[in-house]
Amino acid sequence: MDPNITPPDTEQADGDVVQNRFSPSHLMTLIPGVGVAAVITAIATYLGHLFPIVGSPVFAILIGAISTIFIKLPSSFAPGVRFTSRGILQASVVLLGLGLSLSQVLRVGASSLPVLAGTLLAAIGGGFLVGRLLKIEPDISLLVSVGTGICGASAIAAMSATIAATESEIAYSIATIFTFNVAAVLTFPLLGHLIGMSSRSFGLFAGTAVNDMSSVVAAATVFSGASVGYAVIVKLTRTLAIVPLTVGTALIRQRRHEDPASSSLAVFSRQIRKGFPPFILFFLLAVVVSSIGIVPTFVRVHVSTVATVMITAALAAIGLSIRFDQIRRAGFKPLAMGAILWVLVAATSLSLQTFLHIK
């Protein structure tokens, strides 16, 4: 894995952060990467106004990705790019919570469960079968499956800690997932308009069929502003599946290796810490604050605009994080598996919506 730019949406290993994130010296290291992302954001925002059918998030990820072909950023840009691709994105999701109510979150989360369960089963079951047919290493197969079925690189990071995956296995899996994240942002909004999806149905589609949160938010933003909140709620509900899946895998492996020193309760506690994204709690807190009614009207009016700019910046940084050499090194089989699961999960989401008469 490239030591300079970490793939987006990955978790820091326990104990990895050795300096205070808010110290002046650390904040200074963010300036180069944040600065280049800000420049791309400004250009992408301008192009998004000229070509609204494409949208600034798509322009941002394309500009970032294309620039990596011609320019290799120094390692000093890496901290700021990582912070923008992950921290700014998560902050934008929390900000979106200020425009939602608690009743809306609970209603949407509950109503999306049948489609969420169907797409998760399609990803895990399909991954098992496709992995065996293509004779892919079991750990890579599992990582690609959970990345497709749950939440991209975050799920891969959590599961890789559970199964002690090698760095190359993690890199191949993330490169595979990342390829189809970009493809989803570029193609799903167009598909949604072609088949006449409503904002609600596209939000459910994006929340269940796109991998990383960044790509879910970007695809929904490009489709329509009204679909973003719905997509975010569905995606966050889907993200919760990290916990039982990683805990279950850890317990199965513990029994298989018969490790008496590690109790089931300890395994459960450890996997909760690894698998549960903390920003979800901040999102729920923002929803509660919004539900109480203490958010001023002028804040609500501008929340969506500010969140879109932050999403565009995150997508610019994600574009800068693309490593085409990693995608090439992943080889044909993981990419073929990723493509099959990507299509399978998308088709399952659309089919279940049709079957359940979700409009």
Side-chain angles (χ1 to χ4, degrees), residues 192 196-208 223 227 230 349-350 353 358-359:
M197 299 183 78
S198 66
S199 294
R200 179 173 179 264
S201 61
F202 186 83
L204 180 55
F205 176 52
T208 53
F223 183 81
S227 68
Y230 201 98
S349 177
L350 292 175
Q353 288 197 53
I358 297 175
K359 302 292 184 181

Side-chain angles (χ1 to χ4, degrees), residues 28 84 137 143 234 272 301 323:
M28 289 296 291
T84 307
E137 289 292 327
L143 293 177
V234 173
I272 287 287
V301 170
R323 288 295 174 264

Side-chain angles (χ1 to χ4, degrees), residues 280-295:
I280 292 180
L281 297 178
F282 291 102
F283 170 80
L284 293 175
L285 179 61
V287 172
V288 171
V289 169
S290 175
S291 301
I292 294 172
I294 62 176
V295 180

Side-chain angles (χ1 to χ4, degrees), residues 26-165:
H26 177 62
L27 293 176
M28 289 296 291
T29 65
L30 303 180
I31 292 177
V34 172
V36 72
V39 171
I40 294 175
T41 300
I43 297 170
T45 300
Y46 175 72
L47 292 174
H49 285 306
L50 291 180
F51 306 98
I53 193 171
V54 178
S56 57
V58 172
F59 278 120
I61 196 169
L62 287 176
I63 294 170
I66 292 171
S67 66
T68 63
I69 299 174
F70 303 100
I71 303 170
K72 182 175 177 58
L73 291 177
S75 59
S76 59
F77 285 74
V81 170
R82 277 197 300 269
F83 169 76
T84 307
S85 67
R86 182 169 180 79
I88 296 297
L89 170 73
Q90 293 182 350
S92 73
V93 171
V94 173
L95 192 61
L96 288 170
L98 295 176
L100 302 170
S101 67
L102 191 59
S103 61
Q104 182 183 4
V105 170
L106 294 174
R107 185 175 66 253
V108 170
S111 64
S112 66
L113 288 179
V115 180
L116 283 170
T119 52
L120 180 59
L121 287 173
I124 302 301
F128 176 77
L129 293 175
V130 173
R132 296 196 66 172
L133 287 173
L134 295 180
K135 298 181 180 178
I136 297 173
E137 289 292 327
D139 283 354
I140 293 179
S141 178
L142 177 60
L143 293 177
V144 172
S145 297
V146 298
T148 302
I150 303 177
C151 56
S154 293
I156 290 173
M159 186 59 74
S160 65
T162 302
I163 65 176

Side-chain angles (χ1 to χ4, degrees), residues 169-209:
E169 289 171 338
I170 297 169
Y172 292 165
S173 302
I174 289 178
T176 299
I177 292 297
F178 196 75
T179 301
F180 297 102
N181 278 337
V182 176
V185 174
L186 297 177
T187 61
F188 280 5
L190 178 60
L191 174 63
H193 285 299
L194 285 175
I195 62 178
M197 299 183 78
S198 66
S199 294
R200 179 173 179 264
S201 61
F202 186 83
L204 180 55
F205 176 52
T208 53

Side-chain angles (χ1 to χ4, degrees), residues 185-267:
V185 174
L186 297 177
T187 61
F188 280 5
L190 178 60
L191 174 63
H193 285 299
L194 285 175
I195 62 178
M197 299 183 78
S198 66
S199 294
R200 179 173 179 264
S201 61
F202 186 83
L204 180 55
F205 176 52
T208 53
V210 186
N211 304 324
D212 282 331
M213 174 63 80
S214 57
S215 302
V216 170
V217 176
T221 302
V222 173
F223 183 81
S224 74
S227 68
V228 178
Y230 201 98
V232 166
I233 296 170
V234 173
K235 181 65 176 70
L236 292 179
T237 305
R238 176 182 168 197
T239 299
L240 297 177
I242 294 178
V243 176
L245 202 59
T246 54
V247 168
T249 302
L251 292 174
I252 289 171
R253 294 207 168 205
Q254 176 200 352
R255 284 187 181 179
R256 185 177 298 168
H257 295 293
E258 297 182 350
D259 181 9
S262 181
S263 69
S264 297
L265 183 60
V267 170

Side-chain angles (χ1 to χ4, degrees), residues 91-100 290 295-311:
S92 73
V93 171
V94 173
L95 192 61
L96 288 170
L98 295 176
L100 302 170
S290 175
V295 180
T297 303
F298 74 90
V299 172
R300 287 178 174 273
V301 170
H302 297 291
V303 159
S304 179
T305 302
V306 175
T308 299
V309 173
M310 295 170 70
I311 292 163

